[in-house]
Amino acid sequence: MALASRMWRFFPLGRGAAPGTRFSTGTWGSLEQCCPRRFRGPEVIGNPGTLKRGLLFSALSYLGFETYQVISQAAVVHATAKVEEILEQADYLYESGETEKLYQLLTQYKESEDAEVLWRLARASRDIAQLSGTSEEEKKLFVYEALEYAKRALEKNESSFAAHKWYAICISDVGDYEGIKVKIANAYIIKEHFEKAIELNPKDATSIHLMGIWCYTFAEMPWYQRRIAKMLFATPPSSTYEEALGYFHRAEQVDPNFYSKNLLLLGKTYLKLKNKKLAAFWLMKARDYPAHTEEDKQVKHL
């Protein structure tokens, strides 16, 4: 009955009339003069065989549509499950430090339309570029490749804090190959995306830490670069060590001891501010930090 009631709207009652409509007496010719001819009453209602065939065709069409919807929904569910499986494998490899295996896994899905896959691929490409065995020529290729993946991730989902974060990181990396003018111009874009990442996820310590690095970098900008910046831009980017320190502490509050470099930069920032006691405290923490990654090992010698 439900199917029949839902199908009823597909069937004409004769020349567009609603149920209960009564036509004035007269010839069909006079009726056709005031209404466009689509179906003649005697052709449909007067021929049971035609009506049955019409009912059967409409029922099959409706059932076909319902089947298409069910199959489409099943395909979406399957695709979602597949993406979740890929992300789970990728995150496991990342946590395990399997940089090359992670890159090999994700490049199989480089045509993905999913932002979560794409920003992880940007990160993996960048990590490959950072490996000691990567040549300078290969490094440049991976850096630009990472930026393309990050850009696509952001296009697919502007609400992804990670997409904003990795887009900013990759733009910063590309600046090393583009010259001082482009690098300074990109600084505004980088800051904007780090701030957006923090807005979208205030609990991501890494985004907060990176905003601290942005401030630290412009606080210690050499005089000659400041002069170039003033020549190129009316209001060049600037910051202070106090601002940098605020971000580094905020990152530490969100996730204590999450990153050896955050500890190191807390110490170095306090040194810039002439606070040797607190500088020593944070530098000692950085030195004693367990070396899980290549970067952790490097921090111990800085």
Side-chain angles (χ1 to χ4, degrees):
M1 289 296 293
L3 177 61
S5 63
R6 291 173 67 183
M7 286 169 54
W8 179 255
R9 67 180 183 274
F10 293 109
F11 305 130
L13 295 172
R15 304 180 52 83
T21 301
R22 298 183 63 178
F23 297 103
S24 58
T25 58
T27 64
W28 275 100
S30 62
L31 184 60
E32 288 173 346
Q33 290 174 356
C34 65
C35 301
R37 183 183 185 279
R38 292 188 180 177
F39 298 104
R40 292 186 179 180
E43 290 177 351
V44 177
I45 300 174
N47 188 337
T50 302
L51 178 60
K52 288 179 180 179
R53 286 195 298 273
L55 284 168
L56 179 61
F57 177 77
S58 297
L60 289 173
S61 298
Y62 178 78
L63 289 172
F65 176 72
E66 290 288 302
T67 302
Y68 169 77
Q69 284 191 314
V70 170
I71 292 172
S72 298
Q73 290 169 0
V76 169
V77 171
H78 177 73
T80 302
K82 179 68 173 177
V83 169
E84 289 177 355
E85 183 182 328
I86 294 165
L87 298 182
E88 187 177 336
Q89 292 176 28
D91 291 343
Y92 174 79
L93 290 171
Y94 180 75
E95 293 298 328
S96 303
E98 297 283 0
T99 303
E100 293 175 331
K101 288 182 180 179
L102 173 60
Y103 179 76
Q104 289 168 6
L105 168 69
L106 290 176
T107 48
Q108 296 177 63
Y109 308 100
K110 62 183 179 181
E111 302 303 326
S112 174
E113 299 292 309
D114 192 286
E116 293 296 306
V117 172
L118 291 169
W119 74 251
R120 283 173 171 81
L121 187 48
R123 181 181 65 183
S125 299
R126 183 181 186 273
D127 286 347
I128 289 287
Q130 302 294 321
L131 292 178
S132 57
T134 305
S135 69
E136 284 301 315
E137 185 178 344
E138 290 174 324
K139 181 178 180 179
K140 183 177 179 179
L141 292 174
F142 281 119
V143 163
Y144 279 91
E145 180 183 297
L147 177 60
E148 284 304 309
Y149 291 134
K151 183 179 179 181
R152 283 175 54 203
L154 197 56
E155 289 171 351
K156 298 303 176 186
N157 186 2
E158 291 188 354
S159 298
S160 168
F161 84 92
H164 282 279
K165 175 171 69 177
W166 285 99
Y167 182 64
I169 292 170
C170 293
I171 287 180
S172 178
D173 290 342
V174 164
D176 294 336
Y177 300 99
E178 302 272 324
I180 186 67
K181 183 177 180 179
V182 173
K183 194 166 188 175
I184 293 172
N186 284 346
Y188 296 100
I189 301 170
I190 293 166
K191 182 182 182 183
E192 177 188 338
H193 286 283
F194 281 149
E195 288 176 337
K196 187 63 177 179
I198 294 169
E199 178 190 326
L200 290 168
N201 186 0
K203 297 299 183 182
D204 182 49
T206 307
S207 297
I208 301 168
H209 165 80
L210 291 168
M211 192 63 236
I213 289 181
W214 189 96
C215 294
Y216 187 94
T217 300
F218 285 98
E220 71 165 1
M221 180 184 283
W223 66 270
Y224 66 89
Q225 288 188 2
R226 289 182 189 277
R227 179 172 293 182
I228 294 171
K230 286 181 181 179
M231 291 171 61
L232 297 173
F233 303 95
T235 53
S238 62
S239 190
T240 65
Y241 290 117
E242 286 81 3
E243 281 185 286
L245 188 67
Y247 281 110
F248 295 141
H249 269 301
R250 182 178 166 186
E252 205 61 29
Q253 289 167 0
V254 167
D255 191 0
N257 294 316
F258 76 103
Y259 188 28
S260 58
K261 197 169 183 180
N262 197 65
L263 302 175
L264 174 69
L265 284 168
L266 275 163
K268 291 180 72 173
T269 307
Y270 272 117
L271 277 178
K272 295 288 186 180
L273 294 172
K274 311 300 183 184
N275 190 328
K276 294 182 179 179
K277 184 177 180 180
L278 284 175
F281 171 78
W282 290 105
L283 290 172
M284 290 285 284
K285 290 195 73 170
R287 187 198 66 182
D288 296 337
Y289 192 89
H292 297 298
T293 67
E294 188 66 30
E295 192 172 33
D296 292 336
K297 294 175 185 176
Q298 293 172 1
V299 162
K300 292 180 178 293
H301 301 290
L302 294 175

